[in-house]
Amino acid sequence: MSVREEFDDWAASGRDRGMEDRHWHTAKHVLARMPVEPGDAVLDLGTGSGYALRALRERGIGRGYGLDGAPEMVRNARGYTDDDAIGFLVGDFDDLPFADDSLDHVFSMEAFYYASDPVHTLEEVRRVLKPGGTFYCAVNFFEESETTHAWQEKISIEMTRWSRAEYREAFREAGLYVAEQDAVSDREIDIPPESAFPTDDWDSREEMVDRYRTWGTLLTVGVAP
């Protein structure tokens, strides 16, 4: 199954709203760090339901573009968003439909690892960013977060599982300065006491703490020279 087919199915079943609810725990902290200013143009790469752009519009960005590879995701995002300054389009991570040096910031939450050629995606991000523009890339599927590795078995799309060091190296090779890398923990999800384990999803409390509190979401911030 392709990325488009997989996420068209998710959108048709309403799972896009479920992703928004889960991702917001950490996404809101990542978005709060973005140095957006009034009038900025921002691309949300793998926009899903479009929640990130709606949040950034509350901070005064001038224009938001939500790109997703799944037409049904884009259709839903348009339906959820009543704002002429936000546009959604179906597109490919490896061929961003924007001019060179045209965007102030790019954001991506739990989507970058679906890119078929992640190195080239970074090159495309570098191309479309203005000098000084930023790429805030957040993922919770990465090498150090061992409890997430089993996700690959549950999804038909081949995902990229880089380590923290591999993210930094790839950003630099694409021409982006690495300004920051951090683990953004999920402090909102409830973790039961040890006596409640094992649960349907977790063998031990230690595993759940590792997933949500220790590693959480990996944020890598790149800056265009």
Side-chain angles (χ1 to χ4, degrees), residues 72-83:
E72 288 301 320
M73 283 286 188
V74 169
R75 188 191 313 275
N76 284 2
R78 287 173 179 155
Y80 302 147
T81 308
D82 183 18
D83 188 337

Side-chain angles (χ1 to χ4, degrees), residues 7-26:
F7 288 100
D8 273 346
D9 286 348
W10 285 31
S13 64
R15 290 181 67 184
D16 55 339
R17 281 301 205 185
M19 287 192 296
E20 174 180 339
D21 291 340
R22 292 191 303 275
H23 293 168
W24 186 245
H25 292 187
T26 50

Side-chain angles (χ1 to χ4, degrees), residues 41-45 65 67 92-107 120-135 174 176 224-225:
V42 180
L43 167 64
D44 181 10
L45 196 58
Y65 303 95
L67 183 145
D92 191 327
F93 284 20
D94 296 331
D95 186 19
L96 300 181
F98 299 92
D100 296 358
D101 305 331
S102 61
L103 299 172
D104 296 288
H105 307 282
V106 178
F107 170 80
H120 183 60
T121 296
L122 288 173
E123 293 170 347
E124 278 289 277
V125 168
R126 163 66 185 87
R127 178 184 65 79
V128 302
L129 280 173
K130 298 176 182 177
T134 68
F135 178 34
L176 295 166

